[in-house]
Amino acid sequence: MVNVGIVGVGLVGSELLSQLKATGAKRLKVVGLTNSKKMVLSDTEYSSLSLTEWKNDLENGVPADLAVFAKYLSEAKDHSVIVDCTASDAVAQLYPSWLKAGVSVVTPNKKGFSGPLSLYNEIRSVAANLGGSGKALAYHESTVGAGLPVLATLSDLVKTGDEIETIEGIFSGTLSYLFNNFSSLSGGNGAPFSENVKVAKELGYTEPDPRDDLNGMDVARKVTICGRLAGVDLDLSTLAVENIVPEPLQGVSTADEFMAKLPEFDDHFTKLNEEAKKDGQVLRYVGLVDVKGGKSGVKLIRYPGSHPFASLQGSDNIIKFTTKYFPNGLIIQGAGAGAAVTSFGIYSDLLKIQERVEGF
Amino acid sequence: MVNVGIVGVGLVGSELLSQLKATGAKRLKVVGLTNSKKMVLSDTEYSSLSLTEWKNDLENGVPADLAVFAKYLSEAKDHSVIVDCTASDAVAQLYPSWLKAGVSVVTPNKKGFSGPLSLYNEIRSVAANLGGSGKALAYHESTVGAGLPVLATLSDLVKTGDEIETIEGIFSGTLSYLFNNFSSLSGGNGAPFSENVKVAKELGYTEPDPRDDLNGMDVARKVTICGRLAGVDLDLSTLAVENIVPEPLQGVSTADEFMAKLPEFDDHFTKLNEEAKKDGQVLRYVGLVDVKGGKSGVKLIRYPGSHPFASLQGSDNIIKFTTKYFPNGLIIQGAGAGAAVTSFGIYSDLLKIQERVEGF
């Protein structure tokens, strides 16, 4: 039996609890839950918390204290895992201490794996699956492409001696949606770029301030994570990232002002799109890990209509590994955002840990 | 440390030995090798065999005896795995006895997982990762799409409570190559069907008798394997399989005679192709697992030009899962045949077993 503590019970954390409940996960036992205010821990026997009444129980819980939370989990007789469902930097900084205390980590939070190299190095010096010497594991499949098997596949390629040349992908559901609609050889939806951003915002596909998508930092984090697993110690602060927010709008203070002024720059995007179309190409916003060539980065580039990236639909992600074993590419494609698929990735990671800890 | 015994050291088995040697696999130790004639086993200490001199050592080995081979592996103190790199029915029938003796199985051999349900049921009643009660595991990623992460992904989806609706794919590198070239909206290569078969045969892409590809049985086996993992106990003997060998040629006695007469049937294939093209569609030979609808089978069908199956290149495989979590599909695409990628799948499976057996 493996104990599970969940930090952050918003959309993803709640969905994980639903999936665990629906499947009656026999060898995983939720024994702790916390959000930023309240916390509930099980008894000294580490009995399972109620997966039906957890909301109530949490509301009536004690004040949140992550140190107490982690200590409780680390003192269990059975192996414990903390699932970090926040997007918090501060929580990510606790991973090394948890791992050192023998508690595994599973998370969709990109901060620990794409932040300062020093933090990442601390994590991988302990986590056994990342080459560390500790008795705990750190799995983070859902940090890239949500539940798509991107990192598991990359890790298998690396461990079996494949040589990764490039990892190229449309890593952002938001930017996938925007450019699939704006730039397609069948004409796209014909609406100007700003109109596409507006619709995506209204549908809830963008961050509250769409500049947080368009500045490329989310994609840059995913590129950094993939790069590090592939053996290139990319650093967010030096990665070449093309911010497609028009420069004069990068400094405006509110999202509303940005949205109001974006139409003034539609001509720029229309021109790029028309030029591409003339050559039978489309625009896509991609992240690239270039293992040998050093051209890793995030940029808006063109693809011919026959390329798999050109025919992408909806808000799908697509990731292509080009390697010694797969010179023509191994491609993984599908929904890369949303609570259900993110939680699927977390749940898969939990099962990997459970199987590894329990053996048979 | 995990002991590895390899049965069959042809193309794939040799490649696996190369990959193990090249990576210096620290926790996997090859202690036995056998082909149909000779066998070499290590000492009573289960020391590693030489990965440099193995060919010589095998030539000078003792007469092959699979019973002795399996017994040797089962008596080791550490966990042992037998890798079956044959395509043999007889070897597959030994899996239950190996598993019962606590020896895990890794294989690209489709026979044990697509053959009689009685054999498959015996395997899964023991193999812990297939729900069995034994202390051994059976991994067979390379039976479908070679090293592409098809079965690992399917297994994760099933275990986390996803509901698989369909699994649709181009599962044969040979038939992928044939139809990608024969039927494409950009015109294909313009050559008649028989000419494409001839070229594929000359390139070594087909079986010695191409009817063994065109009869759909290889695809049917892969559909059966995926179906069973998805919870539908498909049976090769009752699956609907469209044999695209023209009926009058199904009975001719030699491959040469078949090849000589195939051009007489080019009109049939040309007509199908032209009709599809008129509607903006292409022909693809696909396998389908239809979990709820019962329409599982293998058939030649049409796809619109915008479908990911239509733009496939070379001899790539492509597999699409449509599920509750992924209503728009999770797609995996890439090389699905060849010694390097098949061996990659085997090696990944071996590491999964090693990690599961050793924990940290």
Side-chain angles (χ1 to χ4, degrees):
Chain A
M1 194 66 91
V2 167
N3 301 303
V4 177
I6 303 177
V7 179
V9 282
L11 270 182
V12 171
S14 306
E15 171 70 18
L16 177 62
L17 286 161
S18 300
Q19 290 185 4
L20 288 169
K21 185 175 164 228
T23 50
K26 284 198 203 77
R27 310 295 308 163
L28 296 169
K29 197 172 54 177
V30 179
V31 299
L33 292 172
T34 180
N35 56 25
S36 54
K37 289 176 196 140
K38 292 292 183 76
M39 166 170 96
V40 54
L41 298 173
S42 183
D43 50 27
T44 52
E45 304 295 312
Y46 294 85
S47 316
S48 179
L49 295 177
S50 163
L51 298 184
T52 318
E53 299 298 322
W54 68 265
K55 269 187 193 165
N56 245 329
D57 295 347
L58 185 58
E59 238 167 63
N60 300 320
V62 296
D65 183 331
L66 274 182
V68 174
F69 189 86
K71 187 159 184 288
Y72 173 73
L73 284 156
S74 72
E75 288 172 346
K77 196 168 70 46
D78 290 327
H79 190 76
S80 292
V81 186
I82 294 180
V83 181
D84 171 17
C85 291
T86 74
S88 155
D89 252 320
V91 175
Q93 279 165 24
L94 301 172
Y95 299 167
S97 67
W98 296 348
L99 292 164
K100 280 175 201 156
V103 177
S104 290
V105 174
V106 170
T107 187
N109 180 357
K110 292 183 278 292
K111 301 296 164 58
F113 302 89
S114 61
L117 252 177
S118 54
L119 173 58
Y120 185 65
N121 283 336
E122 268 198 275
I123 293 169
R124 67 178 159 189
S125 73
V126 191
N129 61 313
L130 299 174
S133 54
K135 296 276 183 205
L137 306 158
Y139 283 98
H140 54 104
E141 183 62 86
S142 292
T143 55
V144 177
L148 295 175
V150 175
L151 302 185
T153 301
L154 175 54
S155 165
D156 281 346
L157 291 169
V158 170
K159 284 189 290 189
T160 59
D162 197 4
E163 289 163 22
I164 315 292
E165 288 163 20
T166 57
I167 306 168
E168 192 180 2
I170 296 174
F171 289 97
S172 154
T174 312
L175 287 148
S176 173
Y177 177 85
L178 273 178
F179 284 99
N180 295 345
N181 282 298
F182 178 62
S183 181
S184 120
L185 287 184
S186 60
N189 60 11
F193 188 70
S194 64
E195 183 62 26
N196 276 293
V197 175
K198 191 168 160 246
V199 171
K201 186 173 190 304
E202 283 165 4
L203 289 171
Y205 283 10
T206 70
E207 295 293 321
D209 187 334
R211 287 178 295 182
D212 290 336
D213 297 297
L214 300 172
N215 68 12
M217 289 316 289
D218 170 69
V219 178
R221 285 192 180 275
K222 292 166 181 167
V223 166
T224 301
I225 292 169
C226 288
R228 289 177 180 178
L229 276 183
V232 202
D233 278 347
L234 297 178
D235 195 309
L236 212 54
S237 63
T238 56
L239 194 70
V241 180
E242 183 178 341
N243 181 346
I244 60 169
V245 176
E247 218 182 320
L249 301 188
Q250 290 178 14
V252 304
S253 53
T254 66
D256 284 348
E257 193 182 344
F258 164 71
M259 290 303 292
K261 290 187 173 160
L262 187 57
E264 297 169 21
F265 298 85
D266 277 334
D267 285 353
H268 163 70
F269 290 103
T270 301
K271 197 176 152 216
L272 288 177
N273 202 13
E274 292 300 328
E275 281 171 2
K277 209 174 284 180
K278 230 181 290 171
D279 298 338
Q281 299 186 317
V282 299
L283 300 173
R284 293 291 180 265
Y285 192 69
V286 301
L288 175 71
V289 176
D290 181 18
V291 174
K292 289 167 187 166
K295 290 190 182 151
S296 301
V298 179
K299 48 197 157 188
L300 186 65
I301 54 178
R302 297 155 156 217
Y303 287 93
S306 60
H307 194 283
F309 289 15
S311 52
L312 206 61
Q313 306 271 328
S315 58
D316 271 8
N317 284 14
I318 186 164
I319 289 97
K320 178 180 181 179
F321 300 101
T322 305
T323 75
K324 186 180 67 178
Y325 295 160
F326 293 94
N328 299 321
L330 188 172
I331 293 176
I332 295 168
Q333 175 183 342
V341 292
T342 303
S343 169
F344 156 64
I346 296 170
Y347 193 172
S348 298
D349 281 349
L350 283 173
L351 289 173
K352 286 187 177 79
I353 292 177
Q354 179 259 315
E355 289 174 354
R356 192 154 167 174
V357 167
E358 302 208 305
F360 296 103
Chain B
M1 195 66 93
V2 167
N3 301 303
V4 177
I6 304 178
V7 179
V9 284
L11 270 183
V12 170
S14 306
E15 171 69 18
L16 176 63
L17 287 161
S18 298
Q19 290 186 3
L20 288 169
K21 184 174 167 233
T23 50
K26 284 196 203 78
R27 310 293 307 161
L28 296 169
K29 198 172 53 177
V30 179
V31 299
L33 292 173
T34 181
N35 56 26
S36 55
K37 288 174 195 141
K38 291 292 184 73
M39 163 171 97
V40 54
L41 297 173
S42 183
D43 51 26
T44 53
E45 304 295 311
Y46 294 85
S47 315
S48 179
L49 295 178
S50 163
L51 298 184
T52 319
E53 299 298 323
W54 68 265
K55 268 185 194 167
N56 247 327
D57 295 346
L58 185 58
E59 237 166 64
N60 300 319
V62 297
D65 183 331
L66 273 182
V68 173
F69 189 86
K71 186 158 184 289
Y72 173 73
L73 283 157
S74 72
E75 287 171 348
K77 195 168 70 47
D78 289 328
H79 190 75
S80 292
V81 185
I82 295 180
V83 181
D84 171 18
C85 291
T86 74
S88 155
D89 251 321
V91 175
Q93 279 163 23
L94 300 172
Y95 300 167
S97 67
W98 296 346
L99 291 164
K100 279 176 201 155
V103 176
S104 290
V105 174
V106 170
T107 187
N109 180 358
K110 291 182 280 290
K111 301 295 164 59
F113 301 90
S114 61
L117 253 176
S118 54
L119 173 57
Y120 185 66
N121 283 336
E122 268 198 276
I123 293 169
R124 69 177 157 187
S125 73
V126 190
N129 61 313
L130 299 174
S133 55
K135 295 278 183 202
L137 304 158
Y139 283 97
H140 53 105
E141 184 62 86
S142 291
T143 55
V144 177
L148 295 175
V150 175
L151 301 186
T153 302
L154 175 55
S155 165
D156 280 345
L157 292 169
V158 170
K159 283 189 290 190
T160 60
D162 197 5
E163 288 162 22
I164 315 293
E165 288 162 21
T166 57
I167 306 167
E168 193 181 0
I170 295 174
F171 290 96
S172 154
T174 312
L175 287 147
S176 173
Y177 178 85
L178 272 179
F179 284 99
N180 295 345
N181 283 298
F182 178 62
S183 180
S184 118
L185 287 184
S186 62
N189 60 11
F193 188 71
S194 64
E195 184 61 27
N196 275 293
V197 175
K198 189 166 163 251
V199 171
K201 186 173 191 302
E202 283 164 6
L203 289 171
Y205 284 7
T206 70
E207 296 293 322
D209 186 334
R211 288 177 295 182
D212 290 336
D213 297 298
L214 300 172
N215 68 13
M217 289 317 288
D218 170 68
V219 178
R221 285 192 179 276
K222 291 165 182 168
V223 166
T224 301
I225 291 169
C226 288
R228 288 177 181 178
L229 275 183
V232 203
D233 277 348
L234 297 178
D235 196 311
L236 213 53
S237 64
T238 55
L239 195 69
V241 181
E242 182 178 343
N243 181 347
I244 60 169
V245 176
E247 219 182 320
L249 301 188
Q250 290 178 13
V252 303
S253 54
T254 67
D256 285 348
E257 193 183 344
F258 164 70
M259 290 302 292
K261 290 189 173 158
L262 187 57
E264 297 169 20
F265 298 86
D266 277 335
D267 284 353
H268 162 70
F269 290 101
T270 302
K271 198 177 152 217
L272 288 178
N273 202 12
E274 294 299 330
E275 281 171 2
K277 209 174 284 179
K278 230 180 291 169
D279 299 337
Q281 300 186 317
V282 299
L283 299 174
R284 293 292 179 265
Y285 192 69
V286 301
L288 176 71
V289 176
D290 181 18
V291 175
K292 289 168 188 167
K295 290 189 182 151
S296 299
V298 179
K299 47 197 158 187
L300 186 65
I301 54 177
R302 298 153 155 220
Y303 287 94
S306 60
H307 193 280
F309 289 14
S311 53
L312 207 62
Q313 306 270 328
S315 59
D316 271 7
N317 285 12
I318 187 166
I319 289 95
K320 178 179 181 180
F321 300 101
T322 305
T323 75
K324 186 181 66 177
Y325 295 160
F326 293 94
N328 299 320
L330 187 172
I331 292 176
I332 295 169
Q333 175 183 343
V341 292
T342 303
S343 169
F344 156 63
I346 296 171
Y347 194 172
S348 297
D349 280 348
L350 283 172
L351 289 173
K352 286 188 178 82
I353 292 177
Q354 178 259 316
E355 289 174 353
R356 191 156 167 172
V357 166
E358 302 208 306
F360 296 102

